[in-house]
């Protein structure tokens, strides 16, 4: 009888652990109400059940978000919320714009699609931005902005000036190392 109880207890523990893990994996969408929530990976209004959704009113940079959770509809101002998580990707708000957080090592890189005049009208163009910390202001990734933000890090600033010929090159990605080249320079400057 004792031989039967130990394996049965292990099966129950494993089943319970898998169930908890499944629920955690399902809650991949939600809001980060504050910067602290983002730091602690604490999501509010997580989409667990069918019918729940988070609508980011991004058209013409609308200033609200609508959350439908458990049949209840709630509207938030973007300026009152740090960001959100959707499809296992984190986003942050600033000035009613949505910035996708694409890299957090050393300093933060973001991607934002902005409408730009093309031959046949306006088209979204993906532009890279950065901030020195997760809760500091987001600015466009340019050599001038790097110089201002990292004024005390002469090694990094000099490396950026030597490595990149123009601002468009600042978002080059090293497929071998799987990181942005500017992040490599930043890591080297910290040594």
């Amino acid at each position: 009888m004792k031989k039967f109880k130990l394996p049965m207890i292990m099966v129950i523990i494993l089943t319970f652990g898998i169930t908890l893990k499944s629920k955690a994996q399902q809650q991949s969408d939600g809001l980060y109400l504050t910067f602290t929530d983002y730091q602690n990976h604490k999501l509010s209004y997580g989409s667990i059940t069918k019918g729940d959704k988070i609508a980011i009113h991004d058209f013409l940079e609308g200033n609200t978000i609508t959350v439908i959770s458990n049949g209840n509809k709630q509207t938030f101002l973007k300026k009152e919320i740090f960001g959100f998580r959707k499809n296992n990707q984190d986003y942050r708000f600033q000035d009613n714009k949505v910035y996708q957080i694409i890299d957090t090592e050393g300093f933060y890189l973001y991607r934002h699609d902005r409408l730009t005049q093309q031959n046949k009208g306006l088209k979204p163009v993906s532009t890279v931005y950065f901030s020195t910390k997760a809760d500091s202001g987001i600015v466009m990734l340019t050599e001038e902005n790097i110089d201002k933000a990292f004024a005390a890090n002469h090694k990094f600033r000099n490396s950026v000036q030597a490595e990149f010929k123009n601002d468009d090159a600042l978002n080059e990605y090293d497929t071998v190392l799987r990181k942005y080249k500017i992040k490599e320079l930043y890591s080297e400057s910290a040594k």
Side-chain angles (χ1 to χ4, degrees), residues 32 38 82 84 89-92 99-104 108-111 134:
Y32 295 116
Y38 170 74
F82 178 80
F84 66 100
Q89 181 60 55
D90 290 326
Y91 298 84
R92 181 179 161 197
Y99 294 88
Q100 179 184 7
I101 301 170
I102 57 175
D103 194 305
T104 61
Y108 284 71
L109 286 180
Y110 306 89
R111 183 174 293 122

Side-chain angles (χ1 to χ4, degrees), residues 35 92 106-108 110 130-138:
F35 168 65
R92 181 179 161 197
F107 61 94
Y108 284 71
Y110 306 89
F130 79 98
S131 66
T132 56
K133 299 177 196 163
D135 60 344
S136 63
I138 299 172

Side-chain angles (χ1 to χ4, degrees), residues 1-185:
M1 194 72 160
K2 288 184 180 183
K3 290 180 184 177
F4 178 73
K5 285 183 181 180
L6 183 59
M8 184 58 126
I9 290 171
M10 289 177 61
V11 168
I12 291 170
I13 290 171
L14 286 173
T15 304
F16 183 68
I18 290 169
T19 304
L20 287 177
K21 185 177 180 183
S22 297
K23 277 193 171 187
Q25 287 174 344
Q26 286 177 349
Q27 189 176 356
S28 63
D29 296 353
L31 299 180
Y32 295 116
L33 297 178
T34 64
F35 168 65
T36 304
D37 288 350
Y38 170 74
Q39 282 185 308
N40 296 324
H41 307 291
K42 179 187 170 204
L43 292 170
S44 298
Y45 304 97
S47 295
I48 298 175
T49 61
K50 188 175 180 173
D52 288 358
K53 74 177 194 173
I54 298 171
I56 309 300
H57 304 293
D58 214 20
F59 183 70
L60 298 176
E61 296 169 358
N63 63 355
T64 61
I65 302 168
T66 302
V67 175
I68 299 173
S69 180
N70 297 321
N72 298 321
K73 182 178 176 181
Q74 199 164 0
T75 302
F76 298 90
L77 292 175
K78 288 180 184 175
K79 67 181 181 181
E80 295 175 352
I81 294 175
F82 178 80
F84 66 100
R85 183 169 184 81
K86 186 173 183 179
N87 299 327
N88 292 319
Q89 181 60 55
D90 290 326
Y91 298 84
R92 181 179 161 197
F93 296 115
Q94 180 176 287
D95 301 326
N96 294 326
K97 295 179 184 136
V98 177
Y99 294 88
Q100 179 184 7
I101 301 170
I102 57 175
D103 194 305
T104 61
E105 185 182 332
F107 61 94
Y108 284 71
L109 286 180
Y110 306 89
R111 183 174 293 122
H112 173 72
D113 292 337
R114 60 187 183 134
L115 293 176
T116 305
Q117 183 64 41
Q118 303 287 318
N119 293 345
K120 297 181 181 181
L122 295 173
K123 290 193 178 180
V125 173
S126 189
T127 306
V128 178
Y129 295 78
F130 79 98
S131 66
T132 56
K133 299 177 196 163
D135 60 344
S136 63
I138 299 172
V139 295
M140 191 175 288
L141 184 62
T142 65
E143 190 176 315
E144 181 181 346
N145 286 337
I146 290 289
D147 283 346
K148 289 177 187 174
F150 297 99
N153 190 337
H154 302 291
K155 187 176 179 182
F156 176 54
R157 290 177 35 239
N158 292 337
S159 297
V160 168
Q161 291 170 4
E163 182 73 25
F164 302 107
K165 301 200 183 328
N166 58 46
D167 289 342
D168 291 334
L170 290 172
N171 64 358
E172 288 179 9
Y173 189 79
D174 187 327
T175 56
V176 175
L177 294 176
R178 293 184 174 171
K179 70 191 297 189
Y180 290 88
K181 290 183 180 181
I182 196 164
K183 293 297 189 109
E184 292 175 51
L185 296 177

